[in-house]
Amino acid sequence: CYEVKLKKPLGIAFEEGSDGGVVVQYLVEGGNAEQSGVISAGDALLATTACMGRDGTFERKVIPSRFLDFDTIMGAIGSNEPKFSKTRTNDVILQFARPGAPMENEGDPYDGGSRGVKDYLKSLEFPKDSPWLKR
C-alpha cells in the first residue's frame, strides 16, 4: 500500500473494480498523477480524503473507499477544495494498493512481517458514532 498527495486535476481515469471500489484505468499523459511517477494502471484505490460540512464547520478526513460505489468515490475526491484545506491547496490525498497486494497479513507486521490490505482497511474504519457514517 502507498499514499500520494496530488494537486487537482489529478489526471487519473478511474473505472469500477470487478469487486467494488475503483481502480486506475489509465493516467493522462503529462497529468499530475503521471508526473508523480508513483501510480500505475490497475492500482486499486483504498482511501481518499473527503470534506464534509457539519454545524457550520468543515472537516477533511481520509475515508476508506475500497468498497464504495463509483459515484460516491468521485464525489469524495471532488469535495477536496482549497477552502477546506488548512494550507488552502487544491490537492487530494489518495491511498492505493498494487494489483496482487496480499489481502492478509504475512506474519506479524510489528515483528518483520507485512501488513495486508484487509488489516489496513480495518485501521481506517470510523467509530460507530462518527458523523461521517450518518451522511
Side-chain angles (χ1 to χ4, degrees), residues 73-94:
I73 294 169
M74 294 304 108
I77 291 171
S79 73
N80 288 272
E81 296 181 29
K83 66 181 176 182
F84 302 129
S85 170
K86 290 180 182 178
T87 58
R88 300 293 186 237
T89 52
N90 194 24
D91 59 26
V92 181
I93 298 170
L94 304 161

Side-chain angles (χ1 to χ4, degrees), residues 1-3 12 14-25 39-48 65-67 73 94-101 103 117 120-121:
C1 302
Y2 67 93
E3 178 176 288
I12 303 174
F14 288 105
E15 63 182 349
E16 289 184 84
S18 59
D19 59 348
V22 298
V23 296
V24 176
Q25 184 178 21
I39 303 167
S40 299
D43 290 354
L45 182 66
L46 301 178
T48 180
S65 54
R66 175 63 186 95
F67 299 108
I73 294 169
L94 304 161
Q95 297 176 347
F96 291 96
R98 301 269 188 227
M103 291 301 289
V117 173
Y120 178 74
L121 290 173

Side-chain angles (χ1 to χ4, degrees), residues 11 22 33 35-36 42-43 48 51 60 65 74 77 87 96-99 104 108 112 116 118-119 123 129 133-135:
V22 298
Q35 289 178 12
S36 77
D43 290 354
T48 180
C51 301
R60 179 173 155 167
S65 54
M74 294 304 108
I77 291 171
T87 58
F96 291 96
R98 301 269 188 227
E104 303 296 336
D108 182 349
K118 282 185 184 176
D119 192 44
S123 73
D129 62 346
L133 295 174
K134 297 175 184 171
R135 285 189 66 178

